[in-house]
Amino acid sequence: MFQTFLKIGLRHLWRTRIYAFINICGLAIGLTCVLLASIYITDERSFDNFHKNSPNLYRITTRTETNGIAETVGGTGQVQGPAFKAQVPEIQSYTRIMGGDIYGDVKTADKVFQLQMLFVDSTFFDVFSFRMRSGNPATALLGNGSVVVTEKTALKFFNRTDVIGEVLQMAGDPSAKRLGRPLVITGVVENPPSNSSIQFDLLFPFQFLQLSFEDNNWLNAYLGTFVVLKPGTDLPTVVRKFNQIAKISSKDQLAAFEKEHASMPKISYDLQAITDIHLNPQDIADQNREAGVINGSKPIYSILFLTVSGFILFMASINFINISIADSARRAKEIGIRKVTGSRRRDIFLQFIGESAFISAIAFVFAFLTALVLLPVFNQLSGKQILPESIFQPRMLVWSAAILVFNTLLSGAYPAYLLSGLTPIKVLYEKGYLTGRSISGRVLVVFQFATAITLGIAALVFREQMYFIQNKDLGYNPQEVVQVHINNNGANDVQSVKSGFESELRNKPQVRQLSLIGDFGYRQARVGDRKFNSYYLTIDEHYLDMLEMKLKSGRNFSTLSQSDKKKGVIVNEAFLRAANIENPIGATFFPDSHFGAQPLTIIGVVGNFHYNSLKERIEPLVMPMSDQFGGGTLLFKTDRTNRQAAVSDIQHAFQQLLPDAAFTYYFLDDLNSQKYQQEKRLEKMISFATFISVLICCLGLFGLAHLSLMQRRKETGIRLVLGATVSEIVILFSKHFIRLIAIALMLACPTAYFIMNFWLSDFAYHIPFPWWTLPCNGILAILFTFITVGIQSARAAAANPVLALRSE
Amino acid sequence: MIKLEKISKYYPAGFGKTYVLRHIDLHIKEGEFVSIMGPSGSGKSTLLHILGLLEEPSEGEYLFLDEPVQKLSEKKRTELHRHHIGFVFQAYHLIDELTVYENIETPLLYKGTGSSERKSRVAELLDRFNMVAKKDLFPHQLSGGQQQLVGVARAIVHNPKVIFADEPTGNLHSEQSIEIMELFQKLNQEDKVTIVQVTHSETNAGYGNRVVRLKDGWLA
């Protein structure tokens, strides 16, 4: 019996191979998308689960509530870890980690690199399962002069991995200065896997950091504290203990804070499982990520990805469903005969499900291979580093089987249900019981087109917004500006580095201007009793000129005026609005305590400019002229025609002045566009999805049109004999589909408008909804339909009608 | 073997009903060769469908092999189709994807016949109908008369007790018709198969031993 099914199935496939081709192509494309989405999700969910301790491994998070505004961040200060460990017996072990976005210049006798540093407690290897290649994990991080390197780092410096006992210099690093001797490599660790939130090139003992940076403040939260709890521990109990300990220990510091700021933050702690961190990184806002955790993501990307690929697969399934039903005339007789000779509905249902499984399986094989081939492209698109092997891991194979079953049912169940329900009387005696124009078939086609059109509109809106962002007047000119970061070398060093650059580059015409700035992030400002957050950027007298910013009123800093450096400040217009100052020049306000207790006097006002991404609104900005630099950023304006020469001049000067540091540079406009990387990926993905869905729609249309032409061959012949023209025939066949597309358009437009408006509102600066995208997509959809259906019907109409009539 | 009592069939039409068959009482004994005749629209085909368990009567009682079929489950009905009933259609209705051999074999597959028995049974029929050379051809490669021969072979391959034939020669020219009707007669007389056919042709009816006439749904 099964044999006959197989035989009939195969022969039917062969006879209708054009439809089989459409189905397999479409399903293979859809399945490829779903496969890639599941690879993506599997990878997203696999983050940090390789740690042996992961079921009991938690990060301590800090919730701070100030003046009713609460914020939870994935970090603590230096004191919490040791204090909790000492007093909470449920903690089996703990480690602090500080790093992630901390880079330092590390050198040997002949090489220097800028590398990712992570400062960790000696228990690091107890807590996490990063594997040591050589060295003793228990002792490698004891003592303040040791360092553990990754294999990659070892190879970079020494071209080999047996490097225990070798030394590394960090001349510029304040801790290394205190240490006064080079660091000795005590261990080599495997490179952190790509699905680890904790990434590093070098591990330093926490004591090493503490040589230059010790902090006992309970109110701080900037580094990561990870604890391993004893199995079976009750989390709320532990958290309660944390809060009790903190309450007692931080009492004095809180009181001092209240005295200074006239407000009392409420601080409480919580635990976050390490495997939850990747999708909820709780980065510390407005600061560099120094709590050790990077690569953070959001579940929305997984959801979006799965949804879009699911839709694409569904569209392909719709093709399958519609073609199966429209083609059922051919199968109906078989079904009738089967029933008459004693086949039950269940048998026939299973037969059709089986055929759908067969098609799905073929498509799946293609999809699997395509996914493998596309993996590098996909990695580039998604920013991941997924290896081909990972497709074959058991979890993925289970996923694959589930997808296959799901797809078989998705595309096979409805036709099988419908066809197995046909009664023999109907199919053997009546004609026209089922055609491609069933209501459900039409609904499905409309749905399919609505999806494609929605995606099309989304893609266009996306492009428009991205174009807007990249071409918006930022309020300054980032062109030809090279940015070089100078690491934290102690307060006065940066200024002397700057003068060094000035004299080195004096005779180089390619480098036209130089400016030194320092970024201090959001801090408080006080005008009278009005307090608000402002962005602090220390600048020099060249900054405004170099970036071609316009002063709205007042003047620029001058080196001639001694008071500018001490008391002068330039602010932006948003600051004036927030401070409610009407006559700004000469007005004073109190800056953040970091910039002294004395008031600053406004000497100039610049127009608002986008110092951050366009997703963020322009906030008040304070630009003092200050010597207060930790590290700093040097900006060089280069000659348009000679950028590369300028960069090599800068590099040359850099190596003269800072022999211990690694030279890295960025063009400011590149840096700006990097802020939209996520959006650019999304844009590519949506364009791609649009392309695919249009392709699938056209395939489906092609199939349906082909079928209806075959079924209406006689009709076409008669019409032609009666004197219809080719164009009349084309219109006759296209009309039906065009009508469906019109309905799809009516559904898609509001949907796309709603979704894309929502997306646009995420940008503080965005275009108004581009209405032209709606008719544009409509016209494109109709055009595509006309081409797909028209060409075929024209061909049918051009054939000799006698052939069509005789064959009946 | 077949016993119809007060069988009626109607379809809802507007607020009333349209009767296709009215109060049909009909007994067919095993071994009979019955021809149902009547003008177009008199209900011949509907009667045949009811007899063949393809349609259910609206009223009345139908005993097939002494069993009331109205009450049968789908499963039971399928069993009857598998073992006791064969159909021959005007339009042959062969499965296009299957060869002559495979078409004839199909009912045996549903009946669950073993493979060697299947082979010998199909071979026997092919031989008897002089179609051995054509066994690997597909239906569209055959003439109408040959297709109907396959149709008949398929109807009898599982040794049914009764064959229902709906204008079996309607699409054939006279020579082919004679061939098919002689085959029916032989099946009836030699193999003792009960045959019920619907036909327009008095000549064809002459091959049988009883004629049932219908007019406007009534037995005439």
Side-chain angles (χ1 to χ4, degrees):
Chain A
M1 183 94 75
F2 177 72
Q3 250 180 336
T4 356
F5 284 170
L6 194 67
K7 215 152 41 188
I8 291 187
L10 284 177
R11 284 178 192 161
H12 178 76
L13 266 187
W14 181 245
R15 220 181 48 172
T16 57
R17 49 193 172 273
I18 182 163
Y19 309 127
F21 174 79
I22 290 173
N23 283 332
I24 290 174
C25 268
L27 288 177
I29 294 172
L31 285 169
T32 306
C33 295
V34 172
L35 261 179
L36 288 175
S38 20
I39 290 171
Y40 180 86
I41 292 168
T42 311
D43 186 74
E44 285 280 274
R45 297 179 60 92
S46 76
F47 261 76
D48 301 316
N49 67 3
F50 60 91
H51 297 295
K52 204 175 70 248
N53 287 327
S54 70
N56 300 309
L57 182 46
Y58 297 89
R59 174 171 77 164
I60 300 178
T61 60
T62 304
R63 183 177 182 277
T64 314
E65 192 182 325
T66 322
N67 303 331
I69 301 163
E71 185 190 28
T72 302
V73 297
T76 68
Q78 293 188 17
V79 281
Q80 285 86 345
F84 292 161
K85 166 70 179 147
Q87 296 174 63
V88 182
E90 286 91 338
I91 297 179
Q92 191 174 303
S93 57
Y94 85 101
T95 182
R96 292 166 291 182
I97 62 173
M98 181 160 173
D101 270 354
I102 301 180
Y103 288 83
D105 298 313
V106 184
K107 64 175 269 193
T108 56
D110 52 345
K111 286 180 187 166
V112 51
F113 296 105
Q114 197 166 67
L115 297 173
Q116 201 172 16
M117 304 155 63
L118 197 66
F119 303 98
V120 302
D121 280 308
S122 61
T123 47
F124 183 76
F125 291 106
D126 288 345
V127 174
F128 300 114
S129 304
F130 295 107
R131 248 175 303 169
M132 282 288 249
R133 262 298 146 94
S134 49
N136 181 351
T139 58
L141 292 161
L142 290 171
N144 53 18
S146 44
V147 60
V148 171
V149 299
T150 61
E151 287 178 300
K152 199 172 96 193
T153 308
L155 289 171
K156 250 183 177 170
F157 278 117
F158 306 103
N159 295 324
R160 58 195 165 84
T161 54
D162 54 331
V163 295
I164 289 191
E166 298 284 347
V167 294
L168 296 175
Q169 308 270 2
M170 296 193 66
D173 186 90
S175 283
K177 275 184 186 160
R178 296 264 166 86
L179 186 65
R181 57 188 153 90
L183 290 144
V184 181
I185 297 176
T186 51
V188 179
V189 63
E190 281 180 15
N191 300 325
S194 64
N195 63 348
S196 171
S197 296
I198 299 167
Q199 296 286 340
F200 53 86
D201 295 321
L202 303 146
L203 295 172
F204 296 90
F206 205 77
Q207 284 163 275
F208 175 71
L209 173 75
Q210 285 177 323
L211 286 176
S212 64
F213 174 44
E214 217 163 345
D215 163 34
N216 66 356
N217 196 326
W218 277 84
L219 277 50
N220 280 341
Y222 51 82
L223 57 74
T225 302
F226 287 82
V227 295
V228 180
L229 299 180
K230 290 181 179 144
T233 303
D234 181 47
L235 295 188
T237 313
V238 174
V239 168
R240 221 173 10 252
K241 287 185 185 174
F242 286 176
N243 288 330
Q244 273 160 8
I245 296 164
K247 201 174 168 187
I248 297 161
S249 311
S250 65
K251 208 165 144 195
D252 296 343
Q253 288 167 357
L254 273 173
F257 184 91
E258 192 182 13
K259 210 168 157 192
E260 193 181 336
H261 292 83
S263 68
M264 178 81 138
K266 263 190 255 167
I267 296 179
S268 59
Y269 298 93
D270 205 350
L271 290 167
Q272 181 186 26
I274 187 167
T275 43
D276 292 343
I277 289 178
H278 176 63
L279 291 173
N280 183 16
Q282 301 188 322
D283 284 335
I284 295 162
D286 309 324
Q287 279 190 30
N288 286 335
R289 291 169 303 176
E290 296 186 346
V293 164
I294 59 170
N295 289 339
S297 179
K298 291 179 193 159
I300 183 76
Y301 296 118
S302 301
I303 294 169
L304 196 68
F305 201 12
L306 192 63
T307 313
V308 169
S309 58
F311 267 108
I312 288 177
L313 181 61
F314 188 47
M315 290 169 82
S317 293
I318 288 177
N319 282 351
F320 186 95
I321 293 170
N322 276 338
I323 289 177
S324 305
I325 294 174
D327 193 30
S328 60
R330 250 190 256 252
R331 305 303 294 276
K333 196 168 71 179
E334 179 196 330
I335 297 162
I337 292 298
R338 281 188 184 289
K339 288 211 162 174
V340 158
T341 46
S343 163
R344 261 171 280 153
R345 178 167 192 172
R346 199 187 59 195
D347 302 330
I348 293 174
F349 183 84
L350 287 178
Q351 178 195 351
F352 282 100
I353 281 286
E355 288 190 24
S356 140
F358 184 68
I359 294 263
S360 296
I362 296 178
F364 191 81
V365 171
F366 280 115
F368 207 84
L369 296 174
T370 316
L372 266 179
V373 172
L374 286 184
L375 199 60
V377 184
F378 174 73
N379 276 337
Q380 213 180 3
L381 252 169
S382 63
K384 289 213 166 275
Q385 292 149 26
I386 298 165
L387 301 170
E389 296 93 276
S390 61
I391 298 191
F392 297 99
Q393 60 180 326
R395 188 195 285 254
M396 262 317 291
L397 295 178
V398 171
W399 259 103
S400 301
I403 292 168
L404 188 57
V405 171
F406 173 75
N407 183 56
T408 299
L409 293 178
L410 182 68
S411 28
Y414 181 63
Y417 169 80
L418 209 64
L419 296 181
S420 66
L422 294 174
T423 60
I425 289 287
K426 274 215 159 117
V427 294
L428 295 178
Y429 285 92
E430 293 165 27
K431 281 193 174 157
Y433 46 89
L434 253 190
T435 62
R437 299 168 166 209
S438 65
I439 285 287
S440 51
R442 276 186 250 186
V443 169
L444 290 174
V445 169
V446 166
F447 176 82
Q448 204 181 25
F449 266 88
T451 310
I453 294 171
T454 307
L455 276 170
I457 295 172
L460 281 181
V461 174
F462 223 113
R463 286 186 89 87
E464 282 297 295
Q465 171 67 9
M466 292 308 285
Y467 182 84
F468 168 78
I469 283 179
Q470 274 158 357
N471 294 280
K472 186 178 188 311
D473 181 10
L474 296 169
Y476 65 94
N477 180 8
Q479 304 285 319
E480 281 91 44
V481 176
V482 174
Q483 174 179 322
V484 175
H485 193 71
I486 309 294
N487 275 332
N488 192 356
N489 287 357
N492 294 317
D493 269 353
V494 186
Q495 289 292 350
S496 63
V497 167
K498 178 190 169 189
S499 348
F501 268 107
E502 273 168 342
S503 56
E504 284 279 332
L505 296 170
R506 187 160 295 144
N507 301 321
K508 309 285 184 192
Q510 297 92 311
V511 184
R512 300 215 302 245
Q513 241 178 343
L514 185 157
S515 167
L516 175 65
I517 61 169
D519 187 337
F520 288 83
Y522 285 100
R523 287 159 187 271
Q524 218 178 41
R526 181 163 69 83
V527 182
D529 49 5
R530 194 188 279 255
K531 281 184 205 161
F532 52 90
N533 263 353
S534 293
Y535 202 81
Y536 280 75
L537 197 66
T538 56
I539 62 170
D540 60 16
E541 66 277 16
H542 303 302
Y543 183 70
L544 300 183
D545 276 354
M546 176 189 267
L547 295 176
E548 298 168 26
M549 283 185 216
K550 299 271 179 308
L551 277 167
K552 293 282 169 178
S553 58
R555 60 177 177 83
N556 193 358
F557 288 120
S558 159
T559 41
L560 301 175
S561 160
Q562 279 301 316
S563 67
D564 275 8
K565 207 165 229 174
K566 287 195 188 116
K567 296 191 297 199
V569 67
I570 295 174
V571 296
N572 69 354
E573 287 173 308
F575 182 91
L576 299 185
R577 211 172 319 120
N580 200 14
I581 296 176
E582 280 185 12
N583 299 309
I585 306 303
T588 61
F589 69 91
F590 287 92
D592 181 81
S593 58
H594 186 81
F595 294 90
Q598 296 304 308
L600 296 177
T601 308
I602 298 174
I603 63 162
V605 177
V606 288
N608 284 340
F609 67 96
H610 292 276
Y611 50 87
N612 262 327
S613 101
L614 273 86
K615 282 179 157 183
E616 288 162 49
R617 197 151 277 291
I618 297 178
E619 299 291 347
L621 177 71
V622 174
M623 297 191 289
M625 186 185 187
S626 168
D627 285 339
Q628 293 219 25
F629 289 103
T633 303
L634 277 169
L635 300 174
F636 303 89
K637 180 82 174 180
T638 63
D639 195 70
R640 181 190 297 268
T641 52
N642 242 335
R643 270 165 54 140
Q644 278 320 309
V647 169
S648 63
D649 284 342
I650 295 166
Q651 180 171 13
H652 183 75
F654 186 95
Q655 279 157 355
Q656 294 288 315
L657 295 162
L658 298 161
D660 300 328
F663 177 71
T664 46
Y665 72 98
Y666 304 95
F667 280 97
L668 209 52
D669 40 0
D670 291 346
L671 273 184
N672 279 342
S673 74
Q674 267 175 25
K675 289 176 188 155
Y676 308 110
Q677 231 173 11
Q678 199 68 266
E679 280 77 15
K680 279 188 188 156
R681 278 193 199 133
L682 222 57
E683 185 192 356
K684 271 191 203 148
M685 190 182 109
I686 290 188
S687 307
F688 199 64
T690 308
F691 171 75
I692 287 175
S693 59
V694 168
L695 186 75
I696 290 178
C697 276
C698 286
L699 273 175
L701 261 190
F702 180 88
L704 281 182
H706 192 268
L707 260 169
S708 90
L709 276 164
M710 294 297 282
Q711 286 165 354
R712 294 167 76 181
R713 219 168 146 214
K714 187 169 155 199
E715 179 194 336
T716 316
I718 294 171
R719 283 180 189 275
L720 284 169
V721 168
L722 294 178
T725 62
V726 170
S727 60
E728 277 164 343
I729 297 284
V730 170
I731 289 170
L732 177 78
F733 277 98
S734 311
K735 213 167 59 187
H736 165 66
F737 291 108
I738 302 272
R739 210 163 34 212
L740 294 185
I741 282 164
I743 299 172
L745 201 59
M746 282 189 280
L747 290 175
C749 286
T751 315
Y753 174 76
F754 180 76
I755 296 174
M756 290 321 282
N757 241 352
F758 184 71
W759 177 73
L760 282 176
S761 66
D762 188 34
F763 287 84
Y765 301 88
H766 61 80
I767 49 170
F769 188 85
W771 289 103
W772 61 267
T773 55
L774 304 184
C776 174
N777 265 282
I779 291 167
L780 278 177
I782 288 172
L783 201 71
F784 271 116
T785 314
F786 214 72
I787 292 171
T788 317
V789 179
I791 287 177
Q792 277 190 82
S793 42
R795 220 182 45 193
N800 187 350
V802 176
L803 287 173
L805 292 178
R806 201 167 47 198
S807 75
E808 259 304 301
Chain B
M1 174 179 186
I2 284 173
K3 205 171 178 186
L4 296 188
E5 272 171 10
K6 296 218 172 68
I7 289 286
S8 292
K9 177 78 181 176
Y10 53 78
Y11 296 104
F15 291 106
K17 317 167 180 173
T18 307
Y19 274 90
V20 186
L21 294 172
R22 295 165 193 266
H23 295 288
I24 306 284
D25 290 317
L26 180 65
H27 293 234
I28 297 175
K29 286 196 274 299
E30 205 157 346
E32 273 196 289
F33 186 165
V34 178
S35 302
I36 302 173
M37 298 191 73
S40 293
S42 57
K44 304 184 296 284
S45 290
T46 307
L47 180 57
L48 192 79
H49 295 158
I50 288 174
L51 289 172
L53 309 180
L54 296 179
E55 268 185 89
E56 285 178 37
S58 313
E59 290 162 2
E61 193 176 31
Y62 174 16
L63 299 175
F64 183 83
L65 296 172
D66 301 325
E67 242 184 306
V69 293
Q70 300 92 298
K71 291 178 191 131
L72 289 185
S73 64
E74 198 210 336
K75 203 172 162 189
K76 214 57 207 294
R77 205 174 297 222
T78 306
E79 285 301 306
L80 290 180
H81 278 144
R82 282 182 186 177
H83 295 285
H84 303 307
I85 298 177
F87 280 101
V88 178
F89 301 95
Q90 178 176 3
Y92 332 127
H93 290 324
L94 302 178
I95 298 179
D96 299 327
E97 273 85 3
L98 296 181
T99 62
V100 167
Y101 183 96
E102 290 158 356
N103 262 294
I104 299 176
E105 189 188 25
T106 310
L108 295 180
L109 291 171
Y110 288 116
K111 200 178 172 184
T113 313
S115 109
S116 60
E117 197 190 332
R118 244 172 22 226
K119 268 187 200 149
S120 66
R121 178 72 183 140
V122 177
E124 182 194 325
L125 282 176
L126 284 169
D127 195 36
R128 182 166 166 190
F129 290 6
N130 287 322
M131 299 205 65
V132 179
K134 301 203 165 63
K135 73 179 173 56
D136 290 326
L137 297 183
F138 286 92
H140 63 92
Q141 294 166 309
L142 301 176
S143 73
Q146 287 166 335
Q147 288 193 42
Q148 194 59 298
L149 273 179
V150 177
V152 175
R154 185 180 63 187
I156 61 168
V157 68
H158 56 303
N159 293 319
K161 287 207 160 61
V162 57
I163 294 176
F164 295 107
D166 193 355
E167 301 203 37
T169 62
N171 284 6
L172 303 178
H173 56 75
S174 51
E175 249 171 76
Q176 293 172 328
S177 297
I178 293 168
E179 198 186 344
I180 296 291
M181 288 321 296
E182 283 176 348
L183 183 59
F184 273 175
Q185 200 168 35
K186 235 168 107 186
L187 285 170
N188 179 245
Q189 286 168 4
E190 291 173 14
D191 300 28
K192 306 294 176 217
V193 180
T194 311
I195 296 177
V196 181
Q197 70 164 345
V198 164
T199 183
H200 276 297
S201 139
E202 293 289 347
T203 323
N204 285 356
Y207 286 91
N209 42 31
R210 184 173 148 203
V211 174
V212 172
R213 291 185 192 277
L214 280 178
K215 203 181 172 194
D216 298 332
W218 300 92
L219 272 182

